[in-house]
Amino acid sequence: MSKKKQQLFESIYHECYPMILQICLGYMKGNLEQANDLSQEVCINIWNALHSFKGESKYKTWIYRITVNTCLQYIRKEKKKTKVSIEKIAHVLADTSYDSRIDQNKNLYRAIGKLEELDRLLIMMVLDGQEYEDIAEVIGIKPTNVRVKIHRIKKRLKKILDHE
Amino acid sequence: MSNEFEVLQNQWKKGKIGIENTERIMEQTLVDIQVKKRWSVHFYYGNSIILLCTLIGISAFFYFVAPVERVVSRIGVGLMTGGLLIRIIIEIISIKKSKRIRLIHTTLKTTNDTMSFYRFRKTIHGPVTIAIIIMYTIGFYMITPEFSVYLKNWYLVFICTSYIVGAFILIKVIRKNIKKEIQILLDMVKLRKHIIEKT
């Protein structure tokens, strides 16, 4: 692997990994093992797509596109993909503070997990502070359409959280 | 509702701060990338290589070991090898199509591309694969009369029976794959509908 590519990947990884893992956690209903596996898949797809990043879209939009598409494709793949080896996540499990950090948002992840797949990803981008225009660029629909969807999802999420 | 959502946003941001990177995870990811790269080459080309080896094996058998002489038998060999060749070509087209699904595009485009890929798979898994199996089977039974001249009866019965068993297992596997891929296609159609719906 070329040094330049590895350096670019490392900088993306350090900057975006928390965002990627958090989205994967929400998508996987707070299941840390599955979220770790999925976030690894996202990272692998980012690596594979690095050569095609031309800077035409915003750097974060590009990462979000890969993350969202990987999440939506992942759940449909072989069921074995949702299993993860203990060795692979041993370093994560060994870090007990890691779990407690995730625990803080567990209810939120679980509530998000009750939404439809695409809605989970949309609301997480809003929670992450993304503008409607940026989300529209990720999904490929008009910002006004995003606004309508988000409004509806917010209502549904509130309802879920109120019932918990 | 906006205040409540701001609270959630803050909670979300705090959660993100809690998730820290470690060099260990980074190193593991780079290792995984290499493993995955090797795996994906096997995944993409594995089927085609197996089919190609089978084609070479069958062709070599009929050319060097048991060259058939009757016209009917020769047509049979042609049907068998021709069916396999068509299957290999379809596999290669399938690989090319699957590589067109790019995750850097918008969700809508990626979903459309995935749907187009699975529609293609549905076609080849359905009528085309069935046609190839029928071609291969007809070819196989066109050769057996000439084989019966050289082989003992019990051996010929054994070959024909094992072919039926093999075909049955193959059809089962194909059916399972068709069901799985049709389900993915239905999921994609549903997802697309959800993406473009306005209310």
Side-chain angles (χ1 to χ4, degrees), chain A residues 119-140:
Chain A
D119 294 352
R120 285 178 221 167
L121 296 159
L122 284 169
I123 200 71
M124 284 190 282
M125 281 192 270
V126 181
L127 285 167
D128 219 30
Q130 292 301 297
E131 301 292 336
Y132 292 152
E133 285 76 13
D134 296 332
I135 297 173
E137 232 184 283
V138 173
I139 306 296

Side-chain angles (χ1 to χ4, degrees), chain A residues 1 6 9-10 13-14 17-19 21-22 40-41 43-45 47 49 52 62 65-66 68-70 72-73 76 78 88 91 101 104-105 108-109 112 118-119 123-124 126-128 137-141 145 148-149 152 154 158 161, chain B residues 1-2 4-5 8-9 11-26 28-30 32-34 36-37 39 101-111 114 180 184 187-188 190-191 193-199:
Chain A
M1 63 182 87
Q6 192 171 334
F9 178 75
E10 279 179 21
Y13 186 89
H14 286 298
Y17 188 74
M19 175 272 278
L21 181 60
Q22 213 177 15
Q40 288 280 316
E41 188 91 12
C43 290
I44 289 165
N45 288 333
W47 171 274
S52 60
W62 189 79
R65 277 185 182 177
I66 295 176
V68 169
N69 284 327
T70 306
L72 291 169
Q73 303 257 333
R76 290 170 182 87
E78 301 272 339
K88 205 171 165 186
H91 56 283
R101 278 179 245 141
Q104 292 170 358
N105 275 346
L108 182 56
Y109 294 138
I112 291 169
L118 181 70
D119 294 352
I123 200 71
M124 284 190 282
V126 181
L127 285 167
D128 219 30
E137 232 184 283
V138 173
I139 306 296
I141 52 174
N145 198 355
V148 174
K149 282 182 191 292
R152 195 193 57 215
K154 275 182 182 175
K158 187 182 179 306
L161 285 166
Chain B
M1 197 165 80
S2 72
E4 285 175 60
F5 196 74
L8 286 181
Q9 266 183 321
Q11 192 184 331
W12 184 263
K13 277 170 193 158
K14 275 181 196 162
K16 192 194 277 183
I17 294 164
I19 302 167
E20 289 166 359
N21 293 324
T22 66
E23 285 301 318
R24 176 73 184 82
I25 298 174
M26 168 82 210
Q28 184 62 48
T29 306
L30 289 172
D32 284 347
I33 287 167
Q34 294 309 313
K36 173 91 188 221
K37 261 187 158 181
W39 181 85
I101 303 169
R102 300 188 66 198
L103 303 173
I104 56 163
H105 291 145
T106 64
T107 312
L108 186 59
K109 176 155 176 35
T110 306
T111 306
T114 311
K180 199 169 76 186
I184 295 175
D187 284 352
M188 283 293 159
K190 198 177 151 197
L191 176 65
K193 203 175 153 198
H194 191 55
I195 292 170
I196 57 172
E197 75 182 354
K198 294 211 163 99
T199 51

Side-chain angles (χ1 to χ4, degrees), chain A residues 33-93:
Chain A
E33 288 178 21
Q34 288 182 355
N36 267 307
D37 200 35
L38 178 54
S39 62
Q40 288 280 316
E41 188 91 12
V42 173
C43 290
I44 289 165
N45 288 333
I46 289 172
W47 171 274
N48 288 337
L50 269 182
H51 67 279
S52 60
F53 180 64
K54 306 264 190 308
E56 284 154 0
S57 57
K58 278 185 212 166
Y59 155 78
K60 274 227 166 170
T61 306
W62 189 79
I63 303 287
Y64 272 113
R65 277 185 182 177
I66 295 176
T67 308
V68 169
N69 284 327
T70 306
C71 286
L72 291 169
Q73 303 257 333
Y74 180 85
I75 223 157
R76 290 170 182 87
K77 283 189 182 173
E78 301 272 339
K79 276 185 182 166
K80 65 178 180 190
K81 283 264 168 202
T82 56
K83 292 175 187 165
V84 63
S85 70
I86 293 295
E87 295 83 34
K88 205 171 165 186
I89 56 154
H91 56 283
V92 178
L93 296 174

Side-chain angles (χ1 to χ4, degrees), chain B:
Chain B
M1 197 165 80
S2 72
N3 274 349
E4 285 175 60
F5 196 74
E6 273 171 29
V7 173
L8 286 181
Q9 266 183 321
N10 287 331
Q11 192 184 331
W12 184 263
K13 277 170 193 158
K14 275 181 196 162
K16 192 194 277 183
I17 294 164
I19 302 167
E20 289 166 359
N21 293 324
T22 66
E23 285 301 318
R24 176 73 184 82
I25 298 174
M26 168 82 210
E27 282 165 17
Q28 184 62 48
T29 306
L30 289 172
V31 171
D32 284 347
I33 287 167
Q34 294 309 313
V35 174
K36 173 91 188 221
K37 261 187 158 181
R38 277 196 293 273
W39 181 85
S40 87
V41 170
H42 290 301
F43 176 78
Y44 278 124
Y45 299 104
N47 259 356
S48 312
I49 290 166
I50 291 168
L51 287 169
L52 193 64
C53 289
T54 313
L55 179 64
I56 292 168
I58 289 175
S59 305
F61 176 77
F62 286 115
Y63 193 79
F64 297 111
V65 184
V68 285
E69 285 166 3
R70 292 181 192 169
V71 178
V72 177
S73 305
R74 285 187 177 169
I75 294 170
V77 172
L79 284 175
M80 284 174 79
T81 50
L84 272 173
L85 191 65
I86 294 170
R87 192 73 184 87
I88 292 167
I89 293 166
I90 287 170
E91 271 307 313
I92 293 165
I93 296 170
S94 191
I95 292 167
K96 286 202 166 194
K97 276 195 174 277
S98 80
K99 285 189 173 175
R100 267 184 224 153
I101 303 169
R102 300 188 66 198
L103 303 173
I104 56 163
H105 291 145
T106 64
T107 312
L108 186 59
K109 176 155 176 35
T110 306
T111 306
N112 285 339
D113 292 343
T114 311
M115 274 168 58
S116 144
F117 172 72
Y118 281 105
R119 279 198 179 121
F120 170 75
R121 296 289 297 174
K122 194 179 153 192
T123 314
I124 61 157
H125 265 327
V128 178
T129 305
I130 291 165
I132 289 170
I133 291 174
I134 291 170
M135 250 174 94
Y136 195 90
T137 307
I138 292 171
F140 179 82
Y141 285 104
M142 280 170 91
I143 300 166
T144 43
E146 189 172 339
F147 268 31
S148 66
V149 177
Y150 308 104
L151 297 173
K152 285 178 182 165
N153 271 350
W154 69 267
Y155 196 64
L156 203 67
V157 169
F158 172 74
I159 291 175
C160 291
T161 316
S162 57
Y163 181 84
I164 293 167
V165 174
F168 180 75
I169 295 167
L170 187 69
I171 288 167
K172 275 259 179 200
V173 173
I174 292 169
R175 257 178 72 95
K176 198 180 158 196
N177 277 340
I178 294 172
K179 273 187 185 172
K180 199 169 76 186
E181 294 194 355
I182 286 178
Q183 188 52 53
I184 295 175
L185 180 60
L186 290 174
D187 284 352
M188 283 293 159
V189 171
K190 198 177 151 197
L191 176 65
R192 189 183 183 279
K193 203 175 153 198
H194 191 55
I195 292 170
I196 57 172
E197 75 182 354
K198 294 211 163 99
T199 51

